[in-house]
Amino acid sequence: MPHTKRRRLVTTAVAVSLGATALAACGSEDDSKAESGPVSLTYWTWTPGMDKVVDLWNKGPGKKDQITVTVKKQASGDTLVTKILTAHKAKKAPDLVQAEYQALPTLVSNDALADISKEVGDVEDKFAEGVWQQTTLGTDAVYAVPQDIGPMMFYYREDLFEQYNLKVPTTWEQFAETARLLKKKAPDKDLTTFSANDSGLFAGLAQQAGAKWWTTSGDKWKVGIDDAATRKVAAFWGGLVEEGVIDNQPMYTPSWNKALDTGKQIAWVSAVWAPGTLTTAAPDTKGKWAMAPLPQWSADQDVTGSWGGSSTAVTTDSAHKEAAAEFAAWLNTDHDALNALAKEGGIYPASTSAQLSGAFSNPPAYFANQPDFYTKAADIAKTTAPSAWGPNVNVAYTSFKDAFGSAAKNKSDFTAALGKMQDDTVADMKKQGFEVAR
């Protein structure tokens, strides 16, 4: 298994060829039988209302092609990844799985996902380059079709920015100055908080700065969690916390909700899905917020990070690879399917053509005061930076919560916490049998 893990995710042409050959061998014999008659597929997903979306397929294209899909609702996150791997070891994984982008390397390194590049390669142009790259892992293979994305943005209380004569920051330097200015004008308020209870936020900020936490060198992994880009991000936020010009409390707590709803915290670095969170966290401030692009590290840049998002993948256990891939492509590119996904599941589609149509023709109700909300969101989504995930994101994220949680609470050195995160991640990879380059 260690050799297989190394081989499946390196980015050399030889490695890609080997991976594709191995995958083809897994399903080629069965595919010729499976596609000749009625096909029944099983899809593991956590998205609300997915059964209603799949009904469109079963009554339309699926019925015509004699392909029926059955939805099996699952938990999300690491729980689902573990369940998929357990089922795969017994060669009983479902045909299709919903997988977060950061989970793809783990699933691929365990030979759980099929290369569907031949089946879905023609839909690549429907997605932003940085989004599509997350499903290829930097190889010629394609391990999933993008479903939803979470481009990051800056949210702020429009009324309070006007009240305190604050300008919306376009660079991180301006962001820091805005935090300081607000603290001088209103000592009881904070521009925002640094939260260590959601690793995806920090990962997205590092991604925007150009970080690549996992890469490969030959047949070895390189872990760059403490690279220069991420150290810059850690030092920036750690400095603001230590200076006392932003808060250090975690998000999603009653205290944090109250800070947003009462105007104690007047901005939030988040993602396109923020309106849903604000609707429940700060109901009394509906119509008072606005969205803008994420501040940049230099004025001539235009790039954002990604916080969240998932894809639809076909497993190597499926005896119906071609049919499963056909469904995955339809689910994430068809106009009616994407509108249903938005309505029933509340997702923001990865497909660029869907980001300004149907459910996204009008702004979220919470942002009725910003008619161009989704127009701006679509423009921002196009600038999503490529990511570089590895086979043990869960370990890195857990280490982040522990190390940065302590650093934020104690207002101590964030770069030291970053070093701990790097060390924990490398140690775990070596323990699993991966070769890690220094």
Side-chain angles (χ1 to χ4, degrees):
M1 178 58 73
H3 173 70
T4 302
K5 288 181 177 180
R6 292 198 304 273
R7 186 193 68 199
R8 286 297 302 280
L9 288 178
V10 294
T11 58
T12 63
V14 173
V16 171
S17 175
L18 284 172
T21 301
L23 287 167
C26 289
S28 59
E29 182 179 348
D30 288 332
D31 284 344
S32 61
K33 303 174 184 176
E35 313 309 327
S36 61
V39 170
S40 296
L41 305 175
T42 302
Y43 178 28
W44 284 4
T45 173
W46 66 83
T47 298
M50 184 61 81
D51 52 337
K52 295 180 181 179
V53 182
V54 171
D55 278 346
L56 297 177
W57 167 267
N58 288 334
K59 295 175 181 178
K63 184 176 183 180
K64 179 184 68 175
D65 294 342
Q66 295 185 296
I67 303 170
T68 302
V69 178
T70 300
V71 170
K72 298 289 186 182
K73 289 294 293 290
Q74 307 292 327
S76 59
D78 292 343
T79 302
L80 179 55
V81 173
T82 299
K83 186 172 182 179
I84 293 169
L85 293 179
T86 300
H88 172 61
K89 287 180 180 178
K91 300 187 183 302
K92 294 183 178 179
D95 299 278
L96 296 132
V97 294
Q98 182 177 358
E100 292 176 295
Y101 296 116
Q102 67 264 26
L104 292 177
T106 299
L107 295 171
V108 172
S109 68
N110 283 278
D111 296 316
L113 300 187
D115 173 11
I116 52 175
S117 55
K118 292 181 179 179
E119 290 78 16
V120 303
D122 59 341
V123 303
E124 178 180 355
D125 62 353
K126 296 184 180 295
F127 306 94
E129 182 180 354
V131 174
W132 184 257
Q133 182 269 343
Q134 294 199 84
T135 66
T136 68
L137 309 185
T139 73
D140 292 336
V142 177
Y143 295 108
V145 179
Q147 180 164 298
D148 61 307
I149 55 173
M152 296 179 69
M153 303 158 184
F154 178 68
Y155 294 84
Y156 62 100
R157 281 284 299 273
E158 199 170 25
D159 57 332
L160 296 180
F161 263 60
E162 182 177 349
Q163 178 180 332
Y164 294 113
N165 195 28
L166 303 174
K167 294 182 179 180
V168 178
T170 59
T171 67
W172 287 113
E173 182 179 0
Q174 292 175 5
F175 179 93
E177 288 303 319
T178 302
R180 296 181 183 110
L181 183 58
L182 174 64
K183 188 57 72 172
K184 287 180 181 179
K185 293 184 175 183
D188 62 325
K189 296 186 182 297
D190 296 292
L191 180 63
T192 191
T193 187
F194 179 86
S195 174
N197 67 342
D198 193 323
S199 317
L201 171 58
F202 185 75
L205 291 170
Q207 179 187 348
Q208 185 214 20
K212 295 189 182 299
W213 285 0
W214 286 270
T215 55
T216 55
S217 176
D219 63 351
K220 296 182 179 180
W221 282 95
K222 293 184 69 175
V223 180
I225 291 175
D226 65 347
D227 64 3
T230 311
R231 285 197 296 271
K232 178 172 66 175
V233 175
F236 175 82
W237 288 94
L240 294 179
V241 169
E242 185 178 3
E243 194 178 337
V245 294
I246 64 171
D247 200 0
N248 60 345
Q249 70 167 317
M251 301 177 292
Y252 317 130
T253 65
S255 175
W256 180 72
N257 291 348
K258 184 178 180 180
L260 291 174
D261 206 27
T262 60
K264 185 181 184 304
Q265 178 181 322
I266 72 168
W268 183 29
V269 175
S270 188
V272 69
W273 43 259
T277 300
L278 290 171
T279 297
T280 54
D284 294 339
T285 60
K286 178 181 179 180
K288 297 180 179 180
W289 290 79
M291 177 270 284
L294 209 60
Q296 303 292 310
W297 284 104
S298 63
D300 61 347
Q301 287 184 318
D302 184 16
V303 63
T304 194
S306 182
W307 182 3
S310 63
S311 63
T312 309
V314 177
T315 72
T316 51
D317 291 343
S318 176
H320 314 290
K321 176 184 168 185
E322 292 180 13
E326 180 184 345
F327 168 77
W330 171 87
L331 178 66
N332 299 306
T333 62
D334 180 80
H335 176 77
D336 292 337
L338 290 169
N339 275 337
L341 276 172
K343 178 183 177 181
E344 304 295 342
I347 71 146
Y348 183 72
S351 170
T352 54
S353 63
Q355 292 168 3
L356 291 173
S357 64
F360 304 100
S361 300
N362 298 308
Y366 193 90
F367 281 80
N369 56 303
Q370 189 172 10
D372 65 346
F373 181 95
Y374 282 123
T375 302
K376 280 190 172 182
D379 288 339
I380 293 170
K382 294 174 185 175
T383 70
T384 302
S387 64
W389 302 114
N392 64 339
V393 173
N394 60 322
V395 172
Y397 274 16
T398 298
S399 180
F400 169 83
K401 291 178 182 179
D402 294 340
F404 277 83
S406 177
K409 181 178 180 180
N410 300 324
K411 298 185 177 182
S412 58
D413 186 4
F414 275 29
T415 56
L418 190 63
K420 178 69 163 56
M421 188 178 168
Q422 165 89 12
D423 291 344
D424 289 348
T425 304
V426 170
D428 176 75
M429 290 184 70
K430 290 181 176 179
K431 182 179 178 181
Q432 289 192 55
F434 292 100
E435 290 193 23
V436 182
R438 292 187 177 182

